[in-house]
Amino acid sequence: MKAKELREKTTKELHQLLKELREKIVKLRFDMASGKVKNIREIRFIKKDIARILTILKERELKNKK
């Protein structure tokens, strides 16, 4: 997901998406350990999406403090 798309979402939606992605990465790790995952690069993309969401949330937090 692109940062531009994420910036259009509300803070509540971002928190929900963050929760879903963290659950998905946990599931993928278990599946990877059992050999069910064919595309291990997907974990890398999910981590990057999580980092983007956290960055946007932090930016909004700092913006609101001013």
Side-chain angles (χ1 to χ4, degrees):
M1 190 172 287
K2 300 206 176 210
K4 185 176 181 179
E5 297 170 5
L6 292 173
R7 290 184 197 282
E8 294 171 357
K9 295 185 181 284
T10 64
T11 303
K12 188 174 181 180
E13 290 173 332
L14 287 175
H15 282 291
Q16 181 63 30
L17 184 59
L18 183 63
K19 181 180 174 186
E20 291 171 7
L21 288 175
R22 284 182 171 162
E23 290 172 359
K24 187 174 181 180
I25 204 165
V26 169
K27 184 182 179 303
L28 278 173
R29 284 183 180 151
F30 279 113
D31 289 346
M32 190 173 69
S34 62
K36 294 180 184 177
V37 176
K38 293 181 181 177
N39 185 8
I40 30 180
R41 295 178 68 201
E42 187 175 357
I43 292 175
R44 183 184 315 161
F45 297 132
I46 293 172
K47 284 182 177 181
K48 287 183 180 183
D49 284 342
I50 289 172
R52 284 185 189 107
I53 292 171
L54 291 173
T55 300
I56 292 169
L57 289 172
K58 186 67 172 181
E59 286 173 354
R60 288 182 183 178
E61 179 185 322
L62 291 174
K63 183 180 175 184
N64 289 336
K65 284 186 177 180
K66 289 184 178 181

